[in-house]
């Protein structure tokens, strides 16, 4: 007797069944991958690395953070310096897809201009611009003639471990003003809000692209004027110094 139904084993497999089988296999592989490396790794994309110095001392950083966490942040003054020259330009530019963006800067950019500045929760404070680099004598003059006249008794001045900051006269002048000098842990720019202020200033200078010393000096002044008290408060918060009365 002829069977009513055909022999299914002799028929070609329908396309939808192959699709289902492949889909099940793919899901099984994905589940196995998640079990092996975890969901966060499996779903992670390519991200820019946050680079930190291997010379950091985590224990010293923790101790320093605990030492300042109960101090009044409104008393904090952070001081740092950076340099600029007439070869600054934007780091990014537009170009047709698949093509490079080109720019030009003077290779003979002359002597760099260094500016030193302080930052409190109220904004930028005492600032000094010089031709050339900072050494111990220059920094001492800045502290004596520019910073100290603006300090209020009881404030704490924080600097990094740059050798020019470590002159005995620097501490003497700050203490004579009724204030305290403290050093940040080594390789810890993330503890210094003034680093973020410098970043904004450098970004402004790159956007201007001054090509003469006169234009650069004017751009530095204009860049400093863009720093607001809201900027400063946000940078303090970002570095872990909260705007409440106690940190």
């Amino acid at each position: 007797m002829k069977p009513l139904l055909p022999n299914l084993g002799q028929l070609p497999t329908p396309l939808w069944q192959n699709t289902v089988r492949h889909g099940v296999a793919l899901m099984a592989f994905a589940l196995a991958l998640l079990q092996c490396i975890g969901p966060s790794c499996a779903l992670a994309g390519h991200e820019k690395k946050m680079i930190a110095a291997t010379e950091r001392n985590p224990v010293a950083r923790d101790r320093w953070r605990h030492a300042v966490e109960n101090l009044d942040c409104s008393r904090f003054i952070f001081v740092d310096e950076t340099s600029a020259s007439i070869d600054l330009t934007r780091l990014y530019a537009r170009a047709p897809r698949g093509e490079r963006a080109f720019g030009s800067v003077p290779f003979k950019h002359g002597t760099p201009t260094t500016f030193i500045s302080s930052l409190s929760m109220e904004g930028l404070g005492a600032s000094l611009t010089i031709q050339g680099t900072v050494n111990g004598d220059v920094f001492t003059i800045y502290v004596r003639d520019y910073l100290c006249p603006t300090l209020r008794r009881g404030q704490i001045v924080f600097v990094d471990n740059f050798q020019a900051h470590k002159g005995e006269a620097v501490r003497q002048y700050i203490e004579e003003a009724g204030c305290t000098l403290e050093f940040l842990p080594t390789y810890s720019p993330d503890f210094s809000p003034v680093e973020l202020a410098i970043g904004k200033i450098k970004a402004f200078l790159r956007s201007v692209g001054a090509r003469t010393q006169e234009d650069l000096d004017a751009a530095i002044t204009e860049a400093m004027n863009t720093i607001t008290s809201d900027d400063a408060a946000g940078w303090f918060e970002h570095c872990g110094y909260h705007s409440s009365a106690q940190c």
Side-chain angles (χ1 to χ4, degrees), residues 91-166:
L91 298 177
Y92 298 92
R94 295 183 180 276
R97 184 180 296 276
E99 298 183 19
R100 289 184 179 275
F102 291 93
S104 61
V105 296
F107 279 12
K108 297 180 179 180
H109 51 72
T111 303
T113 299
T114 301
F115 50 96
I116 315 171
S117 192
S118 65
L119 184 78
S120 69
M121 293 192 72
E122 300 171 356
L124 281 183
S127 301
L128 171 65
T129 303
I130 64 165
Q131 288 288 302
T133 58
V134 172
N135 56 27
D137 292 337
V138 171
F139 191 73
T140 299
I141 291 171
Y142 164 77
V143 169
R144 182 190 66 196
D145 297 343
Y146 295 86
L147 178 64
C148 283
T150 69
L151 295 178
R152 300 189 299 269
R153 296 187 68 85
Q155 289 186 310
I156 305 172
V157 179
F158 294 98
V159 295
D160 62 24
N161 288 269
F162 181 36
Q163 192 61 37
H165 299 162
K166 296 184 176 182

Side-chain angles (χ1 to χ4, degrees), residues 17-63:
Q17 289 188 10
N18 283 330
T19 303
V20 170
R21 288 173 183 159
H22 289 306
V24 171
L26 183 60
M27 290 181 63
F29 172 77
L31 291 173
L33 181 64
L34 289 173
Q35 291 177 352
C36 292
I37 64 176
S40 60
C41 294
L43 301 177
H46 292 286
E47 300 291 342
K48 185 177 180 180
K49 285 184 179 180
M50 298 293 290
I51 304 298
T54 57
E55 295 87 351
R56 275 183 175 178
N57 185 332
V59 175
R61 283 167 55 85
D62 287 344
R63 288 176 178 172

Side-chain angles (χ1 to χ4, degrees), residues 86 113-114 129-131 205 210 212-224:
I86 60 172
T113 299
T114 301
T129 303
I130 64 165
Q131 288 288 302
L205 296 179
T212 67
Q213 187 61 49
E214 292 76 15
D215 289 343
L216 178 61
D217 292 339
I220 291 173
T221 300
E222 189 176 355
M224 289 182 172

Side-chain angles (χ1 to χ4, degrees), residues 147-216:
L147 178 64
C148 283
T150 69
L151 295 178
R152 300 189 299 269
R153 296 187 68 85
Q155 289 186 310
I156 305 172
V157 179
F158 294 98
V159 295
D160 62 24
N161 288 269
F162 181 36
Q163 192 61 37
H165 299 162
K166 296 184 176 182
E168 187 56 37
V170 171
R171 182 179 296 277
Q172 177 183 339
Y173 288 130
I174 290 175
E175 291 179 350
E176 287 177 355
C179 301
T180 305
L181 175 65
E182 296 290 345
F183 290 93
L184 295 167
T186 55
Y187 299 99
S188 297
D190 53 320
F191 286 176
S192 181
V194 72
E195 294 279 356
L196 300 173
I198 288 174
K200 181 175 181 178
I201 291 171
K202 294 293 283 286
F204 182 91
L205 296 179
R206 288 186 180 281
S207 69
V208 171
R211 293 295 176 257
T212 67
Q213 187 61 49
E214 292 76 15
D215 289 343
L216 178 61

